[in-house]
Amino acid sequence: GTGSAAAVPINADFDIAYVTPVTLGTPPQTLQLDFDSGSSDLWVFSSHLPTSQIRGQQIYAPNKSSTAKLLDGHSWSITYGDGSGSRGNVYTDNVTVGGLTVGSQAIECAQQVSSSFTTEDHIDGLVGLGFSTLNTVSPKSQLTFFDNAKSNLDSPVFTADLKYKQAGTYDFGFIDEAKYTGEITYVPVNSDPGYWTFPSSGYAVGSGNFTASSISGIADTGTSLVYLPTAIVTAYYRQVQGATNSRSYGGYVFPCASTLPTFTFGVGAARFTIPAAYLNYAPVTPGSATCFGGLQSSSGVGINIWGDVALKAAFVVFNGGNPPTIGWAAK
Ligand SMILES: O=C(NNC1=NCCC1)c1ccc(Br)cc1
């Protein structure tokens, strides 16, 4: 089988995150979920949440689904790289994404969510697309939607075609040749950390020379920005008039009117250029003349992250075969 579903930016002005419609249970309950290759829990806003923590989100009510089953004695608790988090109990039920159905998928029902989830009213939960070793359900960890679907897929892959300020697509089970140009460059994935960890072959700032350098990082659809080693990031902002690394704003900021260079990264012999516009993430506060950069230092994270700012500059194949690989193509 295959599936195909839209990835819609949650904000009309800035690509903070993308949500995809997911149908749960019987009769169908449709929620807008954030597909996240940087984690491995499928969790939803639910009828088990205090109403004080719900602000317009859609909820999943397992007690209204005739196919829902409590996973007795199981719980989950997750904290994301940005400090947000949630926890709760677990049901299994049918889950459908873009025509692809998994029966008996673990649906982690939130009983508590952190304030940043409560205030983000366009995200009703997450679908983890990382490796199932990261799943937080206890005492028996659960499989991701992708792992559950894999054996029924025409090909054990999902692809991300994220776009700048417009809807893109997540496809499951097939590679749509209409979504990319040229060849797909595949590189090995180290799944031991539980992430889609792959080697980049180097970088260039604007029209400058390409610096060959092996950079290990993760492809993370759930992270908005790109986080790279300080040496690379300082080389980039040296080319931006008025840029500074702001302790108060927690990263590199610059005058919104500044001209930004592009940023090029390598995957094998292939080169992908992130347009300057993608690297002006957003004003630090609404209407401010100071803007926050889409490229930030990974020194605080410990791992380099190729988030949405980079992913939307390419067509990306997450190959869940044995061994796993990741493919990058121009579009
Ligand atoms: O949490 C992570 N990715 N997903 C999401 N971020 C925010 C909500 C969802 C993440 C994963 C790996 C590393 Br290293 C740092 C961060």
Side-chain angles (χ1 to χ4, degrees):
T2 65
S4 185
V8 183
I10 62 169
N11 180 296
D13 302 321
F14 319 108
D15 294 338
I16 297 165
Y18 300 82
V19 286
T20 296
V22 177
T23 300
L24 311 157
T26 316
Q29 300 178 47
T30 299
L31 275 61
Q32 307 301 319
L33 304 183
D34 180 356
F35 282 29
D36 177 22
S37 60
S39 67
S40 306
D41 286 48
L42 192 166
W43 73 265
V44 292
F45 273 67
S46 83
S47 51
H48 296 285
L49 266 175
T51 52
S52 62
Q53 295 185 23
I54 303 173
R55 193 147 314 149
Q57 291 84 357
Q58 300 280 100
I59 65 165
Y60 167 67
N63 302 341
K64 291 187 180 155
S65 171
S66 61
T67 42
K69 295 189 183 71
L70 175 68
L71 198 58
D72 191 21
H74 285 70
S75 63
W76 60 281
S77 176
I78 195 164
T79 303
Y80 295 101
D82 62 3
S84 62
S86 49
R87 62 179 165 81
N89 56 17
V90 188
Y91 288 74
T92 59
D93 206 342
N94 306 328
V95 173
T96 299
V97 174
L100 173 68
T101 297
V102 166
S104 195
Q105 168 68 43
I107 300 174
E108 300 170 34
C109 293
Q111 295 174 294
Q112 190 274 329
V113 299
S114 64
S115 57
S116 62
F117 280 117
T118 294
T119 53
E120 188 43 82
D121 57 350
H122 294 89
I123 294 178
D124 304 331
L126 269 70
V127 174
L129 296 172
F131 292 88
S132 292
T133 47
L134 286 181
N135 181 263
T136 74
V137 174
S138 173
K140 294 195 176 90
S141 86
Q142 302 298 303
L143 297 181
T144 65
F145 173 81
F146 178 53
D147 271 353
N148 280 322
K150 204 177 279 185
S151 57
N152 296 322
L153 292 177
D154 293 5
S155 176
V157 302
F158 69 90
T159 66
D161 178 20
L162 299 180
K163 296 186 178 187
Y164 176 66
K165 300 191 180 182
Q166 51 189 310
T169 318
Y170 287 110
D171 291 338
F172 290 85
F174 71 107
I175 294 172
D176 183 347
E177 307 235 329
K179 291 195 168 88
Y180 66 93
T181 59
E183 297 299 312
I184 302 172
T185 298
Y186 288 93
V187 291
V189 160
N190 172 15
S191 59
D192 294 349
Y195 305 117
W196 292 86
T197 312
F198 71 98
S200 165
S201 50
Y203 70 96
V205 174
S207 55
N209 291 337
F210 183 84
T211 298
S213 166
S214 186
I215 306 160
S216 174
I218 71 168
D220 183 2
T221 57
T223 289
S224 314
L225 310 183
V226 176
Y227 297 86
L228 292 175
T230 302
I232 296 176
V233 176
T234 52
Y236 178 81
Y237 287 108
R238 255 204 298 280
Q239 306 303 322
V240 181
Q241 297 279 348
T244 180
N245 190 4
S246 162
R247 200 164 293 120
S248 61
Y249 290 121
Y252 283 86
V253 299
F254 46 81
C256 297
S258 292
T259 304
L260 294 178
T262 60
F263 183 81
T264 297
F265 60 97
V267 178
R271 301 288 181 260
F272 300 93
T273 296
I274 304 174
Y278 296 16
L279 291 156
N280 181 342
Y281 178 58
V284 291
T285 51
S288 171
T290 300
C291 280
F292 198 77
L295 173 60
Q296 296 294 341
S297 171
S298 62
S299 57
V301 182
I303 296 183
N304 299 309
I305 305 177
W306 302 94
D308 299 336
V309 162
L311 296 169
K312 61 189 158 183
F315 174 79
V316 185
V317 180
F318 294 79
N319 167 30
N322 192 358
T325 62
I326 189 168
W328 293 75
K331 61 190 185 192

